[in-house]
Each structure stands twice: as structure tokens, then as C-alpha cells.
Amino acid sequence: MLRASALAGLGALTLPRPALAQAGRPGPVGSYDAAEAAFVFGLPIVMNYTVLYEFAVDRNSGQFKAPFNTMWNDAQVFTWRDTAVPTPNSDTPYSMCWMDLRAEPVVLSVPDVPAGRYFSVMICDANTYNVGYIGSRATGQGGGSWLVAGPGWQGAPPPGVKGVIRSTTHFALAIFRTQLFGPDDMAGVVAVQRGYRAETLSAFARTAPPPPAPEIRWPRVNADLAKHHFFDYLAFALQFNAPQPNEAPIRAQMASIGIDGRGTPLPQSFFDRMELLAAAFEGNRRVEAAVAAAGVRMNGWNVADVPGSPEAYNGNWMQRAIAAKAGIYANSTEEATYPFTRTTAGGETLDGSSGRYTLTFAANQLPPVNAFWSVTMYHGGNQLLVQNPIDRYLINTPMLAGMKRNPDGGVTIHIQKDDPGADLRANWLPAPNGPIYLVMRLYWPRTEAPSLLPVGRGAWQPPGVVKAG
């Protein structure tokens, strides 16, 4: 969903590995290695805290949405004028609710959604695990209510609750995605969004509320502060993330350098800070290298697998860091898959200033999905939508009926900056006057053959982009 950029500036650091042993610490090499491991483990947690603070705590952040346990709906179509978030999704307008689960669970309710309109509710906890789904794939089009519980909650759900979703942390985020058929369909999206609700358990059950959770003194955070004080934010955020059984070794490593999981402030000496910054630099370098190497190449496209759930990650902290760095709050692979490319099938860099391209889906070879698919155009330099004379930023399933078909029944998308003329305009995906970045989104990808799944082993592959003559 959101591009991970809060720690990009670490690449400018050139700090050497310190050679300083502290009393009661595991020694110079051990401390450094523990801090580097803590960075990889904690990167998604700190990134999540940065978003939580800006979206649900700091009303002056410019990104504030709503306070905890309150629904926020966004009824807009992203255009080239929207520059806050790289790679914006114009398929599914968002609704959102940050949940504070310390005092009691939160109940999420959805309405009956008309058949044919895809929707999903992804519950993502502060470890950035996708701990549960509601929606077309997971629960169907029918309405209902689901209870989201934090660590340690042992109550029984009240009547009217269809299921319980367990968060591994005391704070969690629900991201609602509602399919938009086209720019003139926003009223249909709004009608669905009106039915999304978030209530504390006591409000839902009409019972007396429990005592409120203690007030929190939230440390202010932004991209620059997260870069320079990463481990301070990790030490703070971990107090709300209950230790998991498979975290025992990494928790012990972190405790050895003062990150005890209780919010205890870290040492402030110059040498301690140098050691932590050096380890953060190396940890960030490793994660960025892993992101660059992730995924499977298919005809010029790159397709990565997002495990999503705690069970699927199974303690692989680097894999979790890769997913957060590449795009925090991404859907699990079974909910949506995202091939992306900057090149032709032959490896030539896509550039709208000097080239015209085509993307052809042969007959019966459209992306295999249960919901819908899209191909969105972004400027390769900033990953934002591209200004164009017909205000078209993507080609998607609902547009197929109005597109020109090839003699074999397939369809060709024409990718270029100049209007191809009236005969091909319905198939035109306007390109920038510069580098091109394409993202294909497959919502609820099919699992029966031919399928893109499992990634790298499925029978279907996205066709390559070809340079036009």
C-alpha cells in the first residue's frame, strides 16, 4: 500500500564498525551483531509505528486520518495531482481504522456488497502480519461482524459476531478496499463505505465499558527521526507487541543491548550511538539488497510472494522486512498479486520519450483472477500517476467491453505518450515522456490451473511488454 521510505537516508551513512566493549554487554562484535539483527527484526515494527503516529495520533501530521477505533473513508479517484504516496492504487478506494485493543476488542462490520463488486478488509497488526481477512475471497459478499482481539483476550464473542480475528499486538490496522469500476462509479463505492463500521466490543454489545487503558506518551516521529533514532522507537514500540514463542532468540539478543521489550530508554553515550547507527546502516544495506533480489522474473516482470500471516513467515525476519520495505501493508499473495516491470521482455528499459510499446493478452490468456485485474501506468522516476489528455491511468477488467479485440479474440494494450488515433484510443494506456513503471494487480488470483500461483511455478505468466515497430 505505502512505499517504505522512512529509512532510505541510511544509505548515506558510512559509519565503521565500532570496537568498543561495554560493561554488561556482549562485547564489541556481539553487540554489533545483536543490533544488526534487531534492525532486521524491528524494521517493519518501526515503519508501522511511524505510519500509526502520523495517521492516528498526530492531528497536525498532514497524514492524519482518524483517532483510534474510528472509521475513515476515502472517496476519491487518485490522479496525477496526488503526490503524497508513491504507486497509488486507483482500483480500490480505501477505508481505514486503527484499533487500540488494550482495553477491549474492536468489532468490525461490513454490509451486504452487491455481487460482482470485489471488497476486502485486511487486518494487519503492529508486527505487519496480515492476521485476518473479511471480504469477497475470505467470507463472501454477505454482511456481518467480526471481532478483532488483542493478545491475552479470553472472552466470548457476543451474539451477532461471525468470527474472531487474533492480533499478535495491542494495536492493529484494518484496511478496507472497495472496487471502483470507473471514475463515474464513486457513488457505488460510497454506498458500500457507508456500511463499514468499527465499534468497541462494549459499544457493539451495549454493555458497560471496561476501565480505559493507560494514556500513552507517544514519542514524536517522522522520516528523519526514524532514521537517526531507529532503536529508540523500536524499544518504545515493542512494549505493545507481546512476545511470540518463535521470538525468544531475537528477544534475548535485543535484551543484551538494552531493548528489553518494556519501553526502557536506551543508553545515550556517544559510543553506544555510533555502534547502533553502524549496525542500522549495515542492516538497512542487507534489507535493500534482499529487496532488489526478491521475486521471480517472468517475461520482464518481477513477481514476489508476500506470505502475510505469522504462520507463513514462520520467524523469517528478513522476509518480513523485505515485504515491509518493498510496500508496507501489501496484501497476502492469495488476496492479490502484483507483477511489476520497468523493462521489455528482452530487458530493454521502458521509456515513453523514445519508444512505443504493446502488451498483448492472447485469447483466453487474460490474467486468471476471481475478482478483477488492472495494469497501471506510473512515471518511472517518481512512481506517480501520469498526466495525460484523456485522464486515463490504468486499463482494467471493467474496461474490456469497450476495447478493440484482436482477430484471435485477444486484446492489445498500446503503451505510448502520443494518442494512437481514434481506432486504438480505447486500448491506449498513456505513458510519460520519460521512464515507465508498470504495475499489474491481480485481485483474488485463481489457484486452479492456469494460475500465476504458486509464484514461479504456476502455469500462467504475464506476457512481456514488446517495443512497437
Tab-separated table of all heavy atoms in Angstrom, residues 4 17 27 36 60 108 157 196 217 266 293-294 318 326 360 397 406 419-420 428 438 467:
chain	number	residue	atom	x	y	z
A	4	ALA	N	7.832	2.139	1.417
A	4	ALA	CA	8.681	2.222	2.589
A	4	ALA	C	9.857	3.137	2.300
A	4	ALA	O	10.766	2.784	1.585
A	4	ALA	CB	9.192	0.827	2.943
A	17	ARG	N	32.439	-0.114	11.810
A	17	ARG	CA	32.020	-0.962	12.924
A	17	ARG	C	32.832	-0.569	14.154
A	17	ARG	O	34.063	-0.600	14.141
A	17	ARG	CB	32.255	-2.426	12.591
A	17	ARG	CG	31.943	-3.353	13.764
A	17	ARG	CD	32.206	-4.797	13.444
A	17	ARG	NE	31.211	-5.314	12.521
A	17	ARG	CZ	30.817	-6.588	12.509
A	17	ARG	NH1	31.302	-7.443	13.375
A	17	ARG	NH2	29.927	-7.000	11.636
A	27	GLY	N	29.997	-7.637	24.298
A	27	GLY	CA	31.258	-7.410	23.623
A	27	GLY	C	31.063	-6.713	22.308
A	27	GLY	O	29.958	-6.626	21.782
A	36	GLU	N	22.415	-5.343	14.623
A	36	GLU	CA	22.080	-5.558	13.212
A	36	GLU	C	20.882	-6.493	13.087
A	36	GLU	O	19.965	-6.253	12.289
A	36	GLU	CB	23.281	-6.137	12.473
A	36	GLU	CG	23.062	-6.284	10.980
A	36	GLU	CD	24.272	-6.894	10.290
A	36	GLU	OE1	25.418	-6.547	10.654
A	36	GLU	OE2	24.062	-7.732	9.388
A	60	ASN	N	-1.703	17.006	13.434
A	60	ASN	CA	-1.079	18.034	12.601
A	60	ASN	C	-0.057	17.453	11.625
A	60	ASN	O	0.730	18.187	11.045
A	60	ASN	CB	-0.384	19.075	13.495
A	60	ASN	CG	-1.359	19.775	14.418
A	60	ASN	OD1	-2.422	20.217	13.990
A	60	ASN	ND2	-1.008	19.879	15.695
A	108	LEU	N	-15.556	-5.148	13.853
A	108	LEU	CA	-15.642	-4.586	12.508
A	108	LEU	C	-16.858	-5.169	11.807
A	108	LEU	O	-17.054	-6.392	11.816
A	108	LEU	CB	-14.387	-4.904	11.703
A	108	LEU	CG	-13.054	-4.411	12.262
A	108	LEU	CD1	-11.899	-4.900	11.392
A	108	LEU	CD2	-13.030	-2.886	12.381
A	157	PRO	N	-17.183	-14.125	22.271
A	157	PRO	CA	-17.820	-13.143	21.393
A	157	PRO	C	-19.320	-13.111	21.628
A	157	PRO	O	-19.934	-14.160	21.886
A	157	PRO	CB	-17.474	-13.618	19.987
A	157	PRO	CG	-17.167	-15.076	20.138
A	157	PRO	CD	-16.578	-15.229	21.505
A	196	TYR	N	-19.545	0.290	6.366
A	196	TYR	CA	-18.406	-0.146	7.166
A	196	TYR	C	-18.492	0.493	8.548
A	196	TYR	O	-18.691	1.710	8.687
A	196	TYR	CB	-17.092	0.285	6.501
A	196	TYR	CG	-16.794	-0.384	5.178
A	196	TYR	CD1	-16.078	0.290	4.182
A	196	TYR	CD2	-17.201	-1.686	4.908
A	196	TYR	CE1	-15.778	-0.309	2.973
A	196	TYR	CE2	-16.909	-2.292	3.695
A	196	TYR	CZ	-16.196	-1.600	2.728
A	196	TYR	OH	-15.906	-2.202	1.527
A	217	ARG	N	2.312	8.307	26.296
A	217	ARG	CA	3.096	9.460	25.829
A	217	ARG	C	3.825	9.034	24.560
A	217	ARG	O	4.890	8.416	24.600
A	217	ARG	CB	4.085	9.906	26.907
A	217	ARG	CG	3.419	10.431	28.176
A	217	ARG	CD	4.442	10.976	29.164
A	217	ARG	NE	5.171	12.120	28.601
A	217	ARG	CZ	6.129	12.789	29.246
A	217	ARG	NH1	6.485	12.416	30.475
A	217	ARG	NH2	6.735	13.802	28.677
A	266	LEU	N	17.101	3.600	25.894
A	266	LEU	CA	18.399	3.023	25.580
A	266	LEU	C	19.533	3.918	26.067
A	266	LEU	O	19.337	5.112	26.317
A	266	LEU	CB	18.522	2.835	24.063
A	266	LEU	CG	17.558	1.848	23.426
A	266	LEU	CD1	17.849	1.721	21.941
A	266	LEU	CD2	17.678	0.492	24.089
A	293	ALA	N	16.798	-8.349	-4.818
A	293	ALA	CA	16.931	-9.715	-5.325
A	293	ALA	C	15.656	-10.529	-5.186
A	293	ALA	O	15.598	-11.664	-5.671
A	293	ALA	CB	18.066	-10.428	-4.585
A	294	ALA	N	14.640	-9.973	-4.543
A	294	ALA	CA	13.427	-10.737	-4.259
A	294	ALA	C	12.588	-10.942	-5.513
A	294	ALA	O	12.674	-10.176	-6.481
A	294	ALA	CB	12.599	-10.035	-3.189
A	318	MET	N	13.950	-11.598	7.982
A	318	MET	CA	14.381	-10.910	6.767
A	318	MET	C	13.253	-10.880	5.740
A	318	MET	O	13.019	-9.859	5.085
A	318	MET	CB	15.619	-11.591	6.175
A	318	MET	CG	16.084	-10.968	4.846
A	318	MET	SD	16.491	-9.198	4.963
A	318	MET	CE	18.123	-9.293	5.725
A	326	ALA	N	9.485	-3.202	0.700
A	326	ALA	CA	9.006	-3.128	-0.683
A	326	ALA	C	7.646	-2.452	-0.765
A	326	ALA	O	7.334	-1.792	-1.764
A	326	ALA	CB	8.937	-4.525	-1.286
A	360	THR	N	0.223	-7.554	-25.052
A	360	THR	CA	-0.850	-8.333	-25.669
A	360	THR	C	-1.196	-9.557	-24.828
A	360	THR	O	-0.315	-10.367	-24.500
A	360	THR	CB	-0.445	-8.798	-27.078
A	360	THR	OG1	-0.218	-7.642	-27.905
A	360	THR	CG2	-1.536	-9.655	-27.708
A	397	THR	N	-10.252	-4.739	-15.874
A	397	THR	CA	-11.276	-5.668	-16.349
A	397	THR	C	-12.561	-4.981	-16.798
A	397	THR	O	-13.098	-5.310	-17.871
A	397	THR	CB	-11.590	-6.705	-15.252
A	397	THR	OG1	-10.386	-7.393	-14.899
A	397	THR	CG2	-12.607	-7.719	-15.736
A	406	ASN	N	-8.396	-8.261	-30.823
A	406	ASN	CA	-7.596	-8.771	-31.929
A	406	ASN	C	-8.382	-9.859	-32.662
A	406	ASN	O	-9.369	-10.392	-32.132
A	406	ASN	CB	-6.273	-9.341	-31.396
A	406	ASN	CG	-5.430	-8.286	-30.716
A	406	ASN	OD1	-5.493	-7.106	-31.061
A	406	ASN	ND2	-4.647	-8.699	-29.726
A	419	ASP	N	-1.265	10.036	-28.575
A	419	ASP	CA	-2.554	9.431	-28.909
A	419	ASP	C	-2.394	8.561	-30.157
A	419	ASP	O	-1.942	9.030	-31.201
A	419	ASP	CB	-3.567	10.556	-29.168
A	419	ASP	CG	-4.990	10.033	-29.296
A	419	ASP	OD1	-5.185	8.886	-29.725
A	419	ASP	OD2	-5.923	10.795	-28.963
A	420	PRO	N	-2.770	7.269	-30.083
A	420	PRO	CA	-2.608	6.395	-31.251
A	420	PRO	C	-3.693	6.571	-32.306
A	420	PRO	O	-3.674	5.890	-33.333
A	420	PRO	CB	-2.676	4.996	-30.632
A	420	PRO	CG	-3.586	5.161	-29.459
A	420	PRO	CD	-3.296	6.539	-28.920
A	428	TRP	N	-5.562	2.470	-25.412
A	428	TRP	CA	-4.374	3.291	-25.137
A	428	TRP	C	-4.178	3.470	-23.640
A	428	TRP	O	-5.076	3.916	-22.922
A	428	TRP	CB	-4.531	4.655	-25.820
A	428	TRP	CG	-3.400	5.620	-25.598
A	428	TRP	CD1	-2.080	5.332	-25.430
A	428	TRP	CD2	-3.500	7.044	-25.542
A	428	TRP	NE1	-1.349	6.488	-25.273
A	428	TRP	CE2	-2.201	7.551	-25.341
A	428	TRP	CE3	-4.572	7.945	-25.656
A	428	TRP	CZ2	-1.940	8.917	-25.242
A	428	TRP	CZ3	-4.324	9.300	-25.566
A	428	TRP	CH2	-3.015	9.773	-25.353
A	438	LEU	N	5.386	-0.010	-14.738
A	438	LEU	CA	4.075	-0.630	-14.870
A	438	LEU	C	3.828	-1.593	-13.707
A	438	LEU	O	4.721	-2.373	-13.344
A	438	LEU	CB	3.965	-1.409	-16.178
A	438	LEU	CG	3.901	-0.603	-17.479
A	438	LEU	CD1	4.020	-1.539	-18.680
A	438	LEU	CD2	2.602	0.180	-17.552
A	467	LYS	N	8.400	-3.765	-27.728
A	467	LYS	CA	8.568	-2.487	-28.402
A	467	LYS	C	7.894	-2.538	-29.759
A	467	LYS	O	8.091	-3.478	-30.537
A	467	LYS	CB	10.035	-2.142	-28.563
A	467	LYS	CG	10.274	-0.701	-28.997
A	467	LYS	CD	11.734	-0.297	-28.819
A	467	LYS	CE	11.894	1.176	-29.104
A	467	LYS	NZ	13.298	1.642	-28.852
